[in-house]
Amino acid sequence: MRQDSARQNVVLVTAEAFANYFTQALRDHTTPSFRQKFRSADVLLVDDINFFEGKRVIQEEFLHTVADLMEHGRPLVMTGDRHPRLLTKLSPELSSRIVSGMVCRLEAPDLEARRLIGEKRLAPSELLDSCIRRMDAVEESGQTLVPAEITGFA
């Protein structure tokens, strides 16, 4: 997939943005173009699906999008802060579709992995040395760094 990504239509969106696009499409009477945008994706990546909880109409539209992508054999990646079965305000149909794929828990990387990530992302510089010293100090204190703190986006 990575090799063909230059030719693929990869759509990355948060669940909130998906909901906002859908709401706007309803207001503007442009749902066909909304559906075309998301259902024609070669790969759809949706972050923070727990945002859909309790939003019945948006869940229904997303479920149709998921079904269409699956029917055409297109990959779909979703992220959330909880296991899909713990999202109690998702419709049973959507929850079932989500867990029919591979569900995996991602853990924070250990210190050595964070160092390697830092070395790959940052050119050798004082900034890299500073990050490594900070990670060492935090590790020695028994605390953990949030990934946003490592990349400077906190």
Side-chain angles (χ1 to χ4, degrees), residues 8-113:
Q8 288 188 330
N9 176 21
V10 178
V11 177
L12 169 61
V13 67
T14 64
E16 182 177 8
F18 181 92
N20 290 338
Y21 289 135
F22 179 62
T23 303
Q24 189 66 43
L26 288 174
R27 263 191 238 121
D28 298 343
H29 305 289
T30 57
T31 52
S33 64
F34 165 84
R35 289 177 179 143
Q36 173 67 22
K37 174 181 179 164
F38 290 100
R39 295 179 189 183
S40 66
D42 294 313
V43 181
L44 178 61
L45 302 126
V46 182
D47 185 31
D48 200 24
I49 59 164
N50 40 294
F51 180 82
F52 290 146
E53 281 194 296
K55 297 169 177 71
R56 187 183 53 79
V57 174
I58 294 167
Q59 287 180 42
E60 187 174 329
E61 181 62 33
F62 185 67
L63 178 62
H64 290 298
T65 300
V66 169
D68 189 74
L69 291 169
M70 290 175 75
E71 182 180 314
H72 291 93
R74 296 188 184 125
L76 173 64
V77 177
M78 294 175 265
T79 67
D81 61 5
R82 289 170 284 169
H83 189 281
R85 291 280 187 224
L86 298 176
L87 300 174
T88 57
K89 294 180 181 175
L90 280 185
S91 70
E93 298 85 6
L94 182 55
S95 181
S96 177
R97 284 289 178 134
I98 293 170
V99 297
S100 70
M102 180 173 32
V103 177
C104 52
R105 180 185 178 115
L106 299 178
E107 299 289 336
D110 62 14
L111 178 62
E112 185 58 31

